[in-house]
Amino acid sequence: MNKVKCECGHVNPHGTILCEACGKVFDEKAIEGKLLDMRYEGSARRSQTYNKTIIDRIWNFFSSVKVGVVLIVITLIATAIGSILPQISTLGQLPMPAEQYYEENYGWFGKVYYILGFHDTYGSWWYLLLIASIGVSLIICSLDRAVPLYKALKNQRVKRNTNFLSRQRFYNKTEAKEIEGDFPILIERLKKKHYKVQVEKGHLFAEKGRFSRWGPYVNHIGLIIFLIGCMLRFIPGFYINEFLWIKEGETLAIPGTDKEYYLANHKFIFEVYDETDGEVFQKAIEEKGMIAKNFQTDATLYSAESSLPGEEPKLKKIKDYEIQVNKPLKFDGYALYQSSYRLNEISTMTFALTNKETGESYGNISIDLNNPQKLYDLGNGYFVELLDYFPNFQMKDGKPSTASQEPINPAFAFKMITPDRPEGERSFAAIQQTIEVSENKYKMEFQTVETVNYSGLTVRLDKTLPVIAIGGIIFLIGVAQGSFWQHRRIWVKHVEGTVHVAGHTNKNWYGFHKEIEKVLSDTKIPIPIDQKAENNRVIGQKDRMSTLG
C-alpha cells in the first residue's frame, strides 16, 4: 500500500492518522470530537491497516484487547473449575482406578468431573492451548501497538502543526511579538523539573517520562515470560511432581530420576500428641481424637553407578536423612517431601497346606503380596501353585475380581499338588477364610499375616521457578513504571506574532497543569486552558438553558 507523505516532508506508513513528525491530521473522519486521541500518537497499526490474507486475519484476531480479555476469563474459569476437586496429579498412587475413585468419593458430580476431563485440568492439552493463546495474544497486542508508538515518538519534531497543538487537551494562544527573552527562563525552569528541552527557530519542545509509556508493554513481557515458565512444566525434565509409596525395609528407585537415585526406607516413625503435651492439645484430643505430632521417614539416599543392562545397579551412599513435614530431603534440584503414610498394611500372608480330615500340615507358604511367586515347593512331592491373586478382593457379577492393585483385602486361588493327588486340587483362600470344594482332601488354611508401615513421599523437581520469578519481577517493574511516572510534553510555537502553547500527558492531568503554571508564571507565554473541562462547562450551560427554556 502507498505511504503518505506529509507537507513537512516526512513519509508516514499507510493508515497513519497524524503525521509522526509534525502532527498534521490526515483523516478527520477517523478522529471523533475536537481533541486528538494520543494513545498511539495517531500511528498506523497493522491490525487497522491490513485485512486481506489469512495471516492478516489471525493477526487482527489476536491483536484485539477484547479477545485477550475473553481468553483470560475463560482460562480463569477453567482454573477455578479445576480447583473444585483434587487434581489427579496431587493424589499420588490411588487404591483404585481414577474414575472409580472420583465417583466413590464425590458421587455423580465426581463422575461427571472425571468424564469431562477436569480431574487433569492443568495437564490437559486444551488448558495448555489456552495458556499459549494468551501468550500469542500478548505478543501480537504488544507488537501491534508498541512498534508504531516507538516510531512516532522517535520521529516527533520540535516544530508541530498548529492544528495539532490547538487540538491538545491543554492549549492556549496569545498575541506576542517577542518571547525569545522568556525562553532562557522557561528552559531553566523546565530543566529543574527534569524535562529534556529542545529549541529550534523560535519553537520549543520539552519532554520527560517517555519511558513510562512502555510500562504496559513491560508488563506484557513479564507475563509472556511467566507463561513460558508455566508451559515449560509440560516439557519433560523441567517439572516433576510424582508420588512414592515405600515400605519399611524397602529400597526403590526415586520416580522422575530415570533410576539415577534410589531411596531406602529404614523406619517410619509416627507420633501423636497426648495429655502430657498441655491443655490445648488435651482439649483438641477430646474433640477430634488422635492428632499427629510427627511422622517421618528415616531414609538413606543412594546414587546408582553405571551398570550393564539387566544387571542390578550398584548403589553408592550419598547421605542419611530424617524426612519430616516441612523438612524435605533435597538433592540435585529434587526435593522429597513427607506427605502421607499408611500404617499396618498387610505385606505377607502365610497359609498351610493341610489335610482336612486329620488336620496334618505339610508345610507353610509365605506370600509376598507385592511380589507373589507362581509356585511354592514344600518338599516331599508337595507343591502349591498360585493360579490367581486378587489384591483387593470383591465379587462382581458373580465372579471374583479386584477393586484395585493395592493389597487391601487379598484373596488367592490355589492349586494343591500332592503325591496322592498329582492332578491337583483347587482351593480359594482369603484372610481367615477358605472357600473349598467338598470333595477336596486338602485345603489352604490361613495362618497369619505380617504388616508393615508405608511412607508416602512427594517427589518434586521444578526448574521453571526462576523463569516464573523473573517474569513476575519484570511484571512488577512494568506496573511501577506505568503507575508512578507520567509522559509529559510541552510545546511552544511562535509564528507570525502569535504564541501557541500546548501540553499533553498520559495521566495525572491536574498535577501536570499545576506544573505548567509554575514554569510559565511571570512570562509572556500564556498558561494553557483545559479544553476538555471547558467543553464540559459549555455543554453543561447549554443543558441548563434548554431545561429552563
Side-chain angles (χ1 to χ4, degrees):
M1 294 184 181
N2 296 328
K3 295 185 178 181
V4 182
K5 185 175 182 180
C6 181
E7 62 184 20
C8 71
H10 183 74
V11 179
N12 298 273
H14 175 77
T16 303
I17 299 173
L18 304 176
C19 176
E20 296 175 340
C22 70
K24 180 184 176 180
V25 179
F26 292 137
D27 188 359
E28 288 286 351
K29 295 180 180 179
I31 300 176
E32 298 179 0
K34 180 182 178 182
L35 302 181
L36 298 177
D37 183 359
M38 299 289 288
R39 283 184 301 171
Y40 309 113
E41 303 293 311
S43 54
R45 288 166 48 197
R46 190 185 192 284
S47 61
Q48 297 177 338
T49 307
Y50 303 96
N51 192 24
K52 289 186 176 181
T53 67
I54 185 65
I55 295 177
D56 295 335
R57 292 170 184 172
I58 293 173
W59 181 279
N60 296 345
F61 175 79
F62 283 106
S63 68
S64 171
V65 174
K66 292 181 180 179
V67 170
V69 171
V70 169
L71 288 173
I72 291 173
V73 170
I74 293 174
T75 304
L76 289 175
I77 293 174
T79 303
I81 293 174
S83 65
I84 294 176
L85 297 181
Q87 291 288 290
I88 189 70
S89 59
T90 65
L91 296 176
Q93 187 175 357
L94 296 176
M96 61 188 73
E99 182 177 7
Q100 183 181 348
Y101 173 85
Y102 278 93
E103 184 176 4
E104 288 189 3
N105 286 273
Y106 306 106
W108 66 267
F109 180 77
K111 183 177 182 180
V112 174
Y113 195 83
Y114 178 85
I115 293 173
L116 294 178
F118 289 117
H119 68 290
D120 190 25
T121 298
Y122 311 130
S124 61
W125 64 269
W126 56 266
Y127 189 81
L128 177 62
L129 184 62
L130 282 174
I131 297 295
S133 298
I134 293 174
V136 171
S137 178
L138 287 172
I139 292 172
I140 292 180
C141 276
S142 300
L143 292 176
D144 191 59
R145 292 161 173 79
V147 173
L149 178 61
Y150 170 78
K151 290 180 178 179
L153 293 177
K154 181 182 179 182
N155 292 322
Q156 61 182 341
R157 296 178 182 174
V158 176
K159 183 180 179 181
R160 301 290 262 186
N161 186 276
T162 302
N163 186 35
F164 171 83
L165 298 179
S166 65
R167 300 179 72 169
Q168 296 297 318
R169 177 170 172 176
F170 287 169
Y171 171 75
N172 204 351
K173 67 177 181 178
T174 187
E175 299 293 329
K177 293 184 178 180
E178 297 292 337
I179 64 167
E180 282 74 10
D182 291 330
F183 271 22
I185 299 173
L186 179 58
I187 292 172
E188 182 181 357
R189 291 176 179 176
L190 288 171
K191 287 184 176 180
K192 286 183 179 179
K193 297 290 185 180
H194 307 292
Y195 279 87
K196 180 182 178 181
V197 183
Q198 301 178 60
V199 179
E200 181 183 301
K201 297 180 181 180
H203 306 283
L204 180 144
F205 172 52
E207 180 184 31
K208 73 174 180 179
R210 184 192 294 187
F211 72 96
S212 68
R213 294 289 289 273
W214 313 119
Y217 307 107
V218 174
N219 288 347
H220 290 182
I221 293 172
L223 285 174
I224 291 167
I225 295 175
F226 183 89
L227 292 175
I228 289 173
C230 293
M231 293 176 67
L232 284 175
R233 295 192 167 195
F234 294 91
I235 299 177
F238 279 91
Y239 181 76
I240 294 173
N241 187 22
E242 300 284 351
F243 204 85
L244 172 65
W245 283 111
I246 182 170
K247 64 182 179 181
E248 292 177 328
E250 190 174 29
T251 301
L252 294 177
I254 299 175
T257 65
D258 197 22
K259 295 185 178 180
E260 184 180 352
Y261 294 97
Y262 284 73
L263 188 76
N265 179 4
H266 302 299
K267 186 179 181 181
F268 178 76
I269 299 174
F270 180 75
E271 299 174 330
V272 297
Y273 288 101
D274 55 31
E275 298 178 355
T276 62
D277 291 307
E279 295 183 3
V280 175
F281 294 106
Q282 184 176 353
K283 293 180 180 179
I285 292 170
E286 292 175 356
E287 294 177 359
K288 299 182 179 181
M290 182 183 68
I291 300 177
K293 180 178 182 180
N294 175 44
F295 50 98
Q296 73 178 47
T297 303
D298 293 344
T300 299
L301 177 67
Y302 296 95
S303 63
E305 298 180 350
S306 58
S307 57
L308 296 174
E311 184 183 8
E312 286 293 325
K314 298 178 181 178
L315 302 182
K316 180 181 179 182
K317 181 179 177 180
I318 297 178
K319 64 177 176 179
D320 297 318
Y321 197 81
E322 296 177 353
I323 306 175
Q324 297 176 322
V325 178
N326 299 325
K327 187 184 173 185
L329 167 58
K330 295 183 178 181
F331 61 97
D332 196 21
Y334 294 87
L336 292 178
Y337 294 89
Q338 183 70 62
S339 302
S340 185
Y341 57 86
R342 298 206 307 256
L343 301 178
N344 301 320
E345 293 285 323
I346 303 173
S347 63
T348 304
M349 293 183 67
T350 302
F351 294 88
L353 177 59
T354 308
N355 188 303
K356 291 171 59 177
E357 294 182 1
T358 64
E360 181 182 0
S361 175
Y362 301 95
N364 295 340
I365 64 169
S366 294
I367 303 175
D368 184 350
L369 300 185
N370 291 302
N371 187 26
Q373 300 179 32
K374 281 293 183 181
L375 186 65
Y376 297 84
D377 185 358
L378 301 179
N380 299 322
Y382 292 91
F383 297 90
V384 176
E385 182 181 351
L386 182 59
L387 298 177
D388 212 341
Y389 168 40
F390 306 94
N392 191 5
F393 172 68
Q394 65 175 7
M395 293 298 294
K396 189 173 184 180
D397 299 329
K399 296 181 180 180
S401 64
T402 182
S404 68
Q405 295 304 312
E406 291 297 308
I408 298 174
N409 181 30
F412 309 89
F414 296 109
K415 183 178 182 181
M416 303 166 290
I417 303 172
T418 61
D420 58 334
R421 295 283 197 277
E423 71 282 0
E425 296 180 338
R426 296 176 182 270
S427 178
F428 191 87
I431 297 178
Q432 295 186 344
Q433 61 176 324
T434 301
I435 303 173
E436 51 186 282
V437 181
S438 59
E439 62 269 17
N440 277 0
K441 180 179 179 181
Y442 302 93
K443 68 176 182 179
M444 296 301 298
E445 188 175 52
F446 172 78
Q447 298 295 305
T448 184
V449 297
E450 294 181 9
T451 61
V452 68
N453 297 328
Y454 279 80
S455 180
L457 304 173
T458 299
V459 183
R460 189 163 295 163
L461 170 70
D462 196 347
K463 295 182 180 179
T464 67
L465 285 179
V467 180
I468 293 174
I470 290 172
I473 292 171
I474 292 176
F475 176 83
L476 293 177
I477 291 173
V479 170
Q481 185 177 341
S483 300
F484 301 115
W485 286 271
Q486 304 95 39
H487 182 209
R488 295 181 174 182
R489 286 176 287 178
I490 300 173
W491 297 275
V492 178
K493 181 177 182 179
H494 187 208
V495 58
E496 298 178 356
T498 303
V499 178
H500 303 266
V501 59
H504 179 268
T505 183
N506 61 331
K507 62 183 65 176
N508 191 11
W509 291 89
Y510 177 80
F512 182 43
H513 194 263
K514 289 295 182 182
E515 188 173 67
I516 294 178
E517 287 181 344
K518 289 182 181 179
V519 298
L520 295 180
S521 61
D522 303 325
T523 67
K524 298 176 183 178
I525 303 172
I527 297 173
I529 299 171
D530 187 346
Q531 297 192 93
K532 185 175 182 180
E534 185 68 18
N535 291 340
N536 292 338
R537 185 183 65 81
V538 173
I539 293 172
Q541 288 180 347
K542 290 182 179 180
D543 290 342
R544 287 194 294 273
M545 293 295 294
S546 61
T547 303
L548 293 173

